């Protein structure tokens, strides 16, 4: 049975699905750190990961202590979002390693967006883990990045030691598509494209190829137990109009890990990029680093 722990100061509630129940108290104690108030930001240089027979990936990396942190962006998002930059600044303040990157076909990375798929982007995440990351890693995945972080943890259990999902969109595009009326699904199949309304795109909608949806079906996880055993924290806004907050509860229920918390913010939307949202994210990372530090050589 899930244990709810409300916190009026933050306007969120934590739901623990395992034995770990110290997160709420820990976050409530943590003040804003100097990294948040600092106006001076050091810049990390843009680099490229060269891969044989695959597009080169643009990334920015900080070297430092383990566990390292890797930020995995959402659908069509690049490495320069508020959350990714804020996590980088926090990692600088602690001296921890950090990596942010662009998927192939997105941002500064090479590749053709029209050829992108969940499977290709899964390979991108694994390339970052295998070729750039040193030592144990905490993965922070936003939206579709939360789906991919689960796949990475399944594929590299020896390297991924904790996960933090932000509006985790596990099986997202597939679930949305299959919830449409039959006539609309047939129309999308005939046109070869789904115009999905979104206020986060300049056009007012995302053009999602039908081939992207069909390929994504091969990477769905919620139909069976998710074999991830490391600590997992799932943050979600209850005003999310793209990925319902109940999705994080579904993911938590499917995870086999005994250490899973779901944290819901009542007034946050899908992006969770407001100051309080980012503060919660940073505190969650800080809490996991504290928890794992004694376990990491």
């Amino acid at each position: 049975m899930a244990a709810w722990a409300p916190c009026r100061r933050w306007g969120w509630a934590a739901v623990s699905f395992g034995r770990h129940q110290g997160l709420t108290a820990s976050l409530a104690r943590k003040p804003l750190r100097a990294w948040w108030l600092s106006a001076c930001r050091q810049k990390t240089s843009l680099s490229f990961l060269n891969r044989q027979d695959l597009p080169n990936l643009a990334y920015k990396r900080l070297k430092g202590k383990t566990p390292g942190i890797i930020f995995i962006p959402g659908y069509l998002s690049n490495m320069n979002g508020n959350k990714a930059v804020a996590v980088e600044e926090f990692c600088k303040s602690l001296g921890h390693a950090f990596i942010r990157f662009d998927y192939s076909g997105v941002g500064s990375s090479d590749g053709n967006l029209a050829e992108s798929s969940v499977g290709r982007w899964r390979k991108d995440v694994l390339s970052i883990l295998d070729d750039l990351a040193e030592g144990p890693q905490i993965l922070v995945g936003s939206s579709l990045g939360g789906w991919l972080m689960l796949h990475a943890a399944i594929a590299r259990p020896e390297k991924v030691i904790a996960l933090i999902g932000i509006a985790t969109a596990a099986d997202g595009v597939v679930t949305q598509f299959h919830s449409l009326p039959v006539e609309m699904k047939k129309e999308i199949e005939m046109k070869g494209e789904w115009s999905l309304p979104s206020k986060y795109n300049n056009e007012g909608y995302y053009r999602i190829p039908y081939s992207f949806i069909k390929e994504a079906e091969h990477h769905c996880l919620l139909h069976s137990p998710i074999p991830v055993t490391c600590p997992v924290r799932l943050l979600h806004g209850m005003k999310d109009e793209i990925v319902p907050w109940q999705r994080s509860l579904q993911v938590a229920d499917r995870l086999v890990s005994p250490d899973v918390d779901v944290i819901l913010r009542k007034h946050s939307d899908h992006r969770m990029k407001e100051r309080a949202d980012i503060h919660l994210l940073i505190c969650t990372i800080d809490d996991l680093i504290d928890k794992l530090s004694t376990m990491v050589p």
Side-chain angles (χ1 to χ4, degrees):
M1 184 135 180
W4 286 77
C7 180
R8 293 179 182 176
R9 176 180 174 187
W10 293 103
W12 50 260
V15 192
S16 176
F17 279 76
R19 293 188 295 270
H20 176 75
Q21 298 183 23
L23 181 60
T24 302
S26 177
L27 296 182
R29 288 197 306 268
K30 293 181 185 292
L32 285 170
R33 295 206 182 205
W35 67 272
W36 185 270
L37 302 174
S38 173
C40 179
R41 289 186 171 180
Q42 304 171 15
K43 291 186 177 180
T44 48
S45 59
L46 183 67
S47 302
F48 288 87
L49 174 61
N50 298 318
R51 303 185 296 171
Q52 187 175 3
D53 301 325
L54 289 171
N56 298 330
L57 297 179
Y59 70 92
K60 293 188 176 183
R61 174 171 59 172
L62 288 174
K63 292 203 171 185
K65 298 182 293 187
T66 59
I69 314 295
I70 299 176
F71 189 90
I72 307 174
Y75 180 72
L76 300 187
S77 297
N78 62 41
M79 71 173 89
N80 298 317
N82 289 7
K83 295 187 291 291
V85 173
V87 175
E88 178 179 272
E89 292 301 314
F90 179 68
C91 288
K92 284 179 186 175
S93 75
L94 293 185
H96 276 263
F98 175 77
I99 300 172
R100 52 186 167 115
F101 69 99
D102 287 338
Y103 298 123
S104 54
V106 178
S108 299
S109 288
D110 296 339
N112 184 353
L113 180 59
E115 298 175 354
S116 297
S117 66
V118 173
R120 284 176 181 263
W121 288 343
R122 175 184 177 275
K123 288 181 181 178
D124 293 348
V125 177
L126 295 181
S127 291
I128 296 294
L129 263 172
D130 295 340
D131 300 333
L132 293 180
E134 299 175 355
Q137 302 293 313
I138 298 173
L139 305 186
V140 180
S142 179
S143 192
L144 182 135
W147 186 2
L148 294 175
M149 79 176 183
L150 294 170
H151 276 286
I154 294 168
R156 301 291 185 270
E158 73 289 347
K159 198 157 191 176
V160 177
I161 61 170
L163 301 176
I164 300 174
I166 307 162
T168 300
D171 302 6
V173 67
V174 176
T175 302
Q176 283 181 277
F177 176 76
H178 285 299
S179 68
L180 297 174
V182 174
E183 297 77 13
M184 189 176 294
K185 286 190 284 188
K186 288 182 178 178
E187 181 182 349
I188 292 169
E189 182 177 358
M190 289 178 60
K191 290 171 60 177
E193 183 179 88
W194 183 16
S195 296
L196 182 64
S198 174
K199 66 180 182 181
Y200 303 123
N201 185 282
N202 292 333
E203 295 182 85
Y205 54 87
Y206 286 118
R207 299 176 185 271
I208 303 178
Y210 180 69
S211 59
F212 185 96
I213 301 167
K214 297 306 291 181
E215 194 277 341
E217 291 179 346
H218 299 293
H219 304 285
C220 289
L221 295 171
L222 296 178
H223 52 77
S224 61
I226 303 173
V228 170
T229 58
C230 64
V232 181
R233 306 291 177 259
L234 301 170
L235 317 182
H236 217 127
M238 297 180 74
K239 299 294 185 183
D240 191 334
E241 71 288 1
I242 295 178
V243 181
W245 57 264
Q246 291 88 348
R247 184 64 48 81
S248 284
L249 297 181
Q250 288 179 292
V251 172
D253 186 54
R254 286 297 190 182
L255 287 163
V256 301
S257 171
D259 186 356
V260 179
D261 287 333
V262 178
I263 303 174
L264 303 175
R265 283 194 57 83
K266 185 174 181 178
H267 298 294
S268 296
D269 63 11
H270 180 68
R271 292 181 295 180
M272 294 194 73
K273 70 169 194 174
E274 299 303 320
R275 182 185 176 97
D277 297 325
I278 294 177
H279 187 189
L280 173 61
L281 170 61
I282 296 303
C283 288
T284 305
I285 295 171
D286 197 17
D287 179 79
L288 277 176
I289 290 175
D290 288 345
K291 176 184 179 67
L292 298 166
S293 60
T294 57
M295 303 163 53
V296 178

